[in-house]
Amino acid sequence: LANPVIITLLTDFGTSDYYVAAMKGVMLSRWSEARLVDITHGIASQNVLSAAYVLLGAYAQFPAGSIHLVVVDPGVGSKRRGIILRSDRYLFVGPDNGVFSLAVPEAVEAFEIQPSAYLAATVSNTFHGRDIFAPVAAALAAGVRPEELGASICDRKQLAPLASVTGSRIKSQIIHIDRFGNAVTGIERHHLHSDQLSPSFVLEAGENAIRVQKRFYAEQPAVFGEPFVIWGSLNFLEISVANGSAAESLKLSLGEDVTLELGRHS
Amino acid sequence: LANPVIITLLTDFGTSDYYVAAMKGVMLSRWSEARLVDITHGIASQNVLSAAYVLLGAYAQFPAGSIHLVVVDPGVGSKRRGIILRSDRYLFVGPDNGVFSLAVPEAVEAFEIQPSAYLAATVSNTFHGRDIFAPVAAALAAGVRPEELGASICDRKQLAPLASVTGSRIKSQIIHIDRFGNAVTGIERHHLHSDQLSPSFVLEAGENAIRVQKRFYAEQPAVFGEPFVIWGSLNFLEISVANGSAAESLKLSLGEDVTLELGRHS
Amino acid sequence: LANPVIITLLTDFGTSDYYVAAMKGVMLSRWSEARLVDITHGIASQNVLSAAYVLLGAYAQFPAGSIHLVVVDPGVGSKRRGIILRSDRYLFVGPDNGVFSLAVPEAVEAFEIQPSAYLAATVSNTFHGRDIFAPVAAALAAGVRPEELGASICDRKQLAPLASVTGSRIKSQIIHIDRFGNAVTGIERHHLHSDQLSPSFVLEAGENAIRVQKRFYAEQPAVFGEPFVIWGSLNFLEISVANGSAAESLKLSLGEDVTLELGRHS
C-alpha cells in the first residue's frame, strides 16, 4: 500500500474564514486519501514575492511526490492563467503570477489549466482556490496527469531578479518579514565572495545604517535594541535586532529598498 | 476498510492556547482513527453569527459522513443545552445557541446531549469543548448513535432572520469581516430579483454610501481606495475597497447596520 | 497494524512563515507515517514560561506513545543543550531551558541530544527545530530509542517556582494571556485550603485590586467590564472581565507581578 500523497497549502487567506476549509473539503471529497499539510495561510495579503520566499523555505523538505498548492492570487477573476508545474520531485498548482519563481527552475514543464470535468461545475469569479486549484490538486493526487488537466506552455511568468550587483554595491528590497520581526532582504549568499562581510560593510534600509553582523541570534554581546544582519536559514541576508522586532523598531516594511555597500575588503 | 471519519473543528478559541489541542487530544485518545480538519479557530470572540456564516461556507464541501464540531459558546457553564444535529449527510455537535441556523435546515433531527459515560469523568464549568463536545464527536466518529448520547428535541434555538425586505429597501447588518477586510452583509442573492443591482442603488453602511458594484475583485477600473459591493462566493453581498481593507477604511464593525436601497429599476 | 505515532508541535514560530512547514516536511520525509498535530505556534516570542503552561494544558490529553516536540528556544545557536525526556506515557523533545518543567516531573529520564546520523547533514546556527529537533522526533516516531540519540543526564533545567506563599499572602505573576484576554496567574488550587476564596480576599495586579470571584464565565450578575477571578480549567487562578479582555482593560502583561491576600477567614 503506497503512502497517501501529501498536498501542501500556501495561501494568503488567513485562518479565520471558511476559505481554507472549503478548499480542504473539496480535496477530501474528491480524493479522501489526500494528506493535507498547511505551509501557511498568513502571507501578507496578495504579496506574491513573500509567498514565493515562504514556498522556497518549505517545499524541498517534503517527500518526493508531494503536490504544492499555492493560492496567492491578486488577479483572481481576471485573465491571468492557472498553471501546473512538474519538476523531478514535485507538482505545483496555482496562478501564473511568478509565485513559483524562487522555488521552481525556469526549465520545468508547465501546463495551463484548461476547463475540464475535474473543475467545479460552476466556477465563481472570486474563489478559484476552491473551484479550480483545489480540484486540480486533488485530481493530481488521485493520479490524473497534468496533460489531462491542461495544455503545455513555455512562457510562465517570472519575478524580476531580487537583487542587482554593481561593483561593491548590492541593491535589493525587503521581501519578507517573519513572525519575530526579522526583515528578510533579497540578498543571497551567492551574491558575495564570502559568508563574512568585510569589517567596513554597511547595510542601508530606510533611515537605518547597519554595520554589525552576527552568526546566530543569541551571539554575544547582545546590545539591547541593536540592529544587526545575519544569514538566515535560507541563505538570505536578514535584518534583526536583539530581543525585539527589527521591522517595528527600524520601521521597515515589505518592499522597502535596501542597499548593501561591501566596502574595500569584501 | 472504510475511510476514517472526518471531524471538522470550528471555534473562537484562537490558536495560541492549549484549548484546541486539548480537544484534539481528547478525540484522538478516544477514537484514534478520527481525521481532524480545522475549519477555523479565529471566529471573533463569542460571535455566534459570524461562526454560523463561516460554518455555512465550509461544511457542505466535506465528504458525507463528516462530523462538524462547533464550539462558539458564550453561555458555557450556564443552562444552555448541548446538541447533536443529524442531517442527510452530516452530524453536527455544539451548543444550542443558533450557531447551526444558517447551515442546517430547521427540520433536521436534533438531540440534547445528556450526561453519559461518554463524557469526561469530571465536567468543568469553563471548558465544555474538551469535556463534553469533543468526547461526543469522538463517540459519533466511533459509531455511537446520537440516540445513545442524548434525547430527541424539537425546539432548538434559531437565529433571527439576517435581513428584512420592505419594498425596495433591505435592512441587514455586517455579519462577518474576512481576512482581507471585506465586510459581509446579511443580504443574500435570493432577496433580489437580479444579480445586477439597478444603476441607482445605494448601500448605506455606517457613514458610507456605496454606489458601485463589481463582478470580481480585480475588475477594472480599480480606483484606489474606492468602495464597492460584490457578490461573495456564498452569495452574500460584501463591501470591499480596491487594494485595501473595507472594514478599516470605512470603519465598519461586526453587527453594524446596513441598508440597501435598490432604486426605481431594480 | 499499530496506529501511527502522533507527534505534537508547540513553538513560538507563528504560522505565517515557512518554519513550521519545514519541520513538518522534515518529519514526513523521514517517517511518512507520523501523524502531526499542532498544539500551537502562537506562544509569545521566546516566552518559555507561557510555553510550559500551554504544554501542561495539552499534553496529557494525547494517547500514550505520543511524542511532544517543543521549540521555544531563545538560546538557539548558543551552548544550551537539546534534550529528550521519557515519561511513562510520552516522549518529549526540545531545548533544555525549563519549558518541560510544568508538564514533566523532575524524576523522569532525560537525555542530551548528541550529534548523530539522525540529525540534518548540516546543522544551521539559527534553526535547530528543522535540523535537530524535528529529525529527532521523527527518529523516535520510527522507533529509535532515546539512548541511540543522546546521553543520559540528570541535571536538566527547571523553572523557578511559579508562586510563593507567606502566611495568608501568595505572590506570583501573570504566566499566560489567552486569546480572550484572560490573564492566567501562577497561583494554583493546591496553594489554597479551599476552592472558594474568603469573602475578604483581594488580588492585586498592576494598578488593580480585584475582590470578586466567579465559578464560570457566564455566572450572574455580569456587570459589564467588572474584573473577577476564576479557577481556569487547569486549576490556575485567572483574571477575567465580563464581556471583554482583562489584559487590555486592566493593562496586564506577561510577567506582571500579582499578589493574592486571602484575608482573615481563608
Side-chain angles (χ1 to χ4, degrees), chain C residues 34 72 97 106 137 186 227 235 245:
Chain C
V72 176
N97 59 17
E106 222 170 320
N235 295 317
S245 160

Side-chain angles (χ1 to χ4, degrees), chain B residues 126-222:
Chain B
T126 52
F127 196 179
H128 288 187
R130 178 189 63 189
D131 300 336
I132 296 176
F133 298 124
V136 164
L140 293 168
V144 177
R145 301 179 62 238
E147 286 82 351
E148 302 172 68
L149 294 158
S152 184
I153 57 171
C154 53
D155 61 342
R156 69 181 169 100
K157 195 165 172 196
Q158 299 290 335
L159 294 172
L162 300 184
S164 66
V165 184
T166 315
S168 67
R169 176 171 295 176
I170 306 177
K171 283 177 170 292
S172 183
Q173 58 172 300
I174 306 295
I175 64 169
H176 183 69
I177 293 173
D178 80 5
R179 192 260 166 125
F180 303 99
N182 297 312
V184 181
T185 76
I187 300 169
E188 299 181 69
R189 278 201 206 227
H190 67 76
H191 291 128
L192 278 79
H193 300 298
S194 150
D195 283 359
Q196 184 62 38
L197 301 178
S198 63
S200 60
F201 88 90
V202 57
L203 181 75
E204 292 178 0
E207 310 214 329
N208 313 282
I210 302 163
R211 299 168 194 278
V212 176
Q213 180 183 12
K214 291 197 177 184
R215 283 170 306 139
F216 53 93
Y217 296 112
E219 188 178 13
Q220 297 301 323

Side-chain angles (χ1 to χ4, degrees), chain A residues 123-135:
Chain A
V123 171
S124 71
N125 281 323
T126 52
F127 196 2
H128 288 187
R130 178 190 62 190
D131 300 336
I132 296 176
F133 299 124

Side-chain angles (χ1 to χ4, degrees), chain A residues 9 11-14 16-25 126-127 129-130, chain B residues 39 53-54 57-58 176-180 182 184 217 233-234 238:
Chain A
L9 293 91
T11 79
D12 63 351
F13 291 165
S16 51
D17 293 291
Y18 68 88
Y19 307 135
V20 172
M23 289 174 61
K24 290 182 177 177
T126 52
F127 196 2
R130 178 190 62 190
Chain B
I39 292 182
Y53 172 80
V54 172
H176 183 69
I177 293 173
D178 80 5
R179 192 260 166 125
F180 303 99
N182 297 312
V184 181
Y217 296 112
S233 59
L234 292 183
E238 297 181 9

Side-chain angles (χ1 to χ4, degrees), chain C residues 75-88:
Chain C
V76 64
S78 70
K79 290 285 183 197
R80 70 97 190 86
R81 303 180 294 194
I83 56 174
I84 303 165
L85 305 179
R86 179 168 59 198
S87 76
D88 287 356

Side-chain angles (χ1 to χ4, degrees), chain B residues 13-258:
Chain B
F13 291 164
T15 52
S16 50
D17 293 291
Y18 67 88
Y19 307 135
V20 171
M23 290 174 59
K24 290 182 177 177
V26 163
M27 290 190 280
L28 292 168
S29 291
R30 286 158 180 258
W31 187 244
S32 62
E33 293 174 40
R35 194 160 175 194
L36 308 178
V37 180
D38 297 310
I39 292 182
T40 181
H41 305 289
I43 296 296
S45 183
Q46 307 196 338
N47 195 302
V48 173
L49 183 49
S50 184
Y53 172 80
V54 172
L55 180 65
L56 176 68
Y59 85 101
Q61 306 294 348
F62 285 87
S66 296
I67 298 165
H68 297 298
L69 170 57
V70 180
V71 190
V72 176
D73 191 10
V76 62
S78 70
K79 291 285 181 196
R80 70 96 190 86
R81 302 181 295 194
I83 56 174
I84 302 164
L85 304 179
R86 179 168 56 196
S87 76
D88 287 356
R89 288 173 58 85
Y90 304 113
L91 292 164
F92 299 82
V93 180
D96 182 29
N97 59 18
V99 75
F100 301 110
S101 292
L102 299 185
V104 189
E106 221 170 321
V108 308
E109 290 176 284
F111 302 85
E112 177 180 356
I113 297 168
Q114 304 285 354
S116 77
Y118 292 105
L119 308 189
T122 309
V123 172
S124 71
N125 281 322
T126 52
F127 196 179
H128 288 187
R130 178 189 63 189
D131 300 336
I132 296 176
F133 298 124
V136 164
L140 293 168
V144 177
R145 301 179 62 238
E147 286 82 351
E148 302 172 68
L149 294 158
S152 184
I153 57 171
C154 53
D155 61 342
R156 69 181 169 100
K157 195 165 172 196
Q158 299 290 335
L159 294 172
L162 300 184
S164 66
V165 184
T166 315
S168 67
R169 176 171 295 176
I170 306 177
K171 283 177 170 292
S172 183
Q173 58 172 300
I174 306 295
I175 64 169
H176 183 69
I177 293 173
D178 80 5
R179 192 260 166 125
F180 303 99
N182 297 312
V184 181
T185 76
I187 300 169
E188 299 181 69
R189 278 201 206 227
H190 67 76
H191 291 128
L192 278 79
H193 300 298
S194 150
D195 283 359
Q196 184 62 38
L197 301 178
S198 63
S200 60
F201 88 90
V202 57
L203 181 75
E204 292 178 0
E207 310 214 329
N208 313 282
I210 302 163
R211 299 168 194 278
V212 176
Q213 180 183 12
K214 291 197 177 184
R215 283 170 306 139
F216 53 93
Y217 296 112
E219 188 178 13
Q220 297 301 323
V223 180
F224 188 85
E226 178 190 57
F228 57 89
V229 297
I230 185 169
W231 289 112
S233 59
L234 292 183
N235 295 317
F236 285 77
L237 199 66
E238 297 181 9
I239 305 170
S240 294
V241 303
N243 305 308
S245 160
E248 267 185 38
S249 62
L250 307 181
K251 298 190 176 22
L252 300 174
S253 316
L254 278 175
E256 179 120 22
D257 289 334
V258 302

